[in-house]
Amino acid sequence: MNIIEALNWRYAVRQFSPEKIAPAVIQKLVEATRLSASAYGLQPYRLLVVRNRETRNQLLKHSFGQEKVRDCSHLFVLAINTEINEAFLDQHFNMVEQQRDLPSGALNGFANHVKDVMLSMTQAELKVWAENQAHIALGNLLTVAAIEGVDACPMAGFDKSGFDAVLQLPRLGLASAVICTLGQRADTDLSADYPKVRVPSAEFCLDM
């Protein structure tokens, strides 16, 4: 499929078949998520791939009864960093210098600009900012999944504190932001036959 065909093909799957996604495809989806854009390249989130069915059984009670959390092939959880501070920013710019083979301190000017912007935010503002970055990664994941012929359903309707407890995210300095179930649609999922509904192009795109 080309990208437009793939995006027309995909939908928010309600029921998954027992079929498992091949490990190589999962790795491609992980890499697509990792390579997503983020403001200043900071990537204030991590990706958890929940394969274990018992863990997903525990998460089901925090998913408002949405059985696809348990029945999908793989569950992706995007979790944001809870400590976005000077140490977090220093770690990022040190990594940039190392990976680009730059001398230590070469990015101090830009790093100080980013610190001025980021550290002026409240903790509540930083949380919203980090969640927005995670949603950019989610969009990339959904697009690549469609191109690969993998069905998906993004979900924000879940008990984040419950997920955090089951996955022990506080000890990792993380908090769940959004999740995505991945697999193959079940033959019994009637949603697959629904026409895709979107705002018409003439109304959606406004030439200025």
Side-chain angles (χ1 to χ4, degrees):
M1 291 187 287
N2 66 39
I3 190 167
I4 299 301
E5 289 174 338
L7 293 175
N8 273 300
W9 169 83
R10 74 154 305 278
Y11 72 104
V13 173
R14 299 292 183 265
Q15 293 178 305
F16 286 97
S17 76
E19 186 176 347
K20 296 298 181 185
I21 304 171
V25 176
I26 288 296
Q27 187 53 43
K28 186 178 292 188
L29 297 178
V30 169
E31 190 68 353
T33 307
R34 185 181 74 89
L35 293 173
S36 296
S38 65
Y40 301 119
L42 290 173
Q43 292 181 287
Y45 51 81
R46 291 295 181 266
L47 174 63
L48 293 86
V49 181
V50 186
R51 297 177 170 86
N52 185 276
R53 189 173 177 85
E54 179 52 39
T55 301
R56 297 213 303 260
N57 272 329
Q58 294 177 47
L59 293 173
L60 183 58
K61 64 183 177 182
H62 304 295
S63 306
F64 306 130
Q66 299 178 87
E67 295 181 350
K68 56 197 167 197
V69 166
R70 177 195 63 205
D71 298 338
C72 64
S73 172
H74 291 68
L75 173 65
F76 278 21
V77 179
L78 281 159
I80 60 171
N81 293 80
T82 54
E83 293 291 333
I84 300 173
N85 50 26
E86 187 167 9
F88 171 84
L89 297 172
D90 284 338
Q91 182 181 38
H92 169 75
F93 286 106
N94 288 337
M95 179 182 68
V96 175
E97 289 177 348
Q98 291 171 8
Q99 292 190 9
R100 292 182 175 173
D101 198 23
L102 297 172
S104 178
L107 297 174
N108 281 354
F110 181 56
N112 287 335
H113 164 70
V114 174
K115 287 179 183 180
D116 288 343
V117 174
M118 300 303 300
L119 301 182
S120 69
M121 297 185 192
T122 66
Q123 287 301 308
E125 289 170 335
L126 285 170
K127 179 176 182 290
V128 171
W129 172 82
E131 289 181 342
N132 286 341
Q133 307 310 306
H135 278 81
I136 294 173
L138 172 67
N140 214 41
L141 166 63
L142 292 174
T143 299
V144 176
I147 292 169
E148 291 294 313
V150 174
D151 285 303
C153 182
M155 298 168 59
F158 63 99
D159 177 4
K160 294 180 180 179
S161 62
F163 266 61
D164 293 352
V166 171
L167 298 174
Q168 301 181 46
L169 296 187
R171 69 181 178 85
L172 300 174
L174 298 171
S176 54
V178 66
I179 65 177
C180 186
T181 53
L182 296 154
Q184 297 296 327
R185 63 190 70 177
D187 293 339
T188 53
D189 189 354
L190 300 180
S191 299
D193 297 324
Y194 295 163
K196 185 179 287 290
V197 177
R198 294 292 187 273
V199 174
S201 297
E203 297 176 31
F204 177 76
C205 181
L206 306 178
D207 288 330
M208 306 297 287

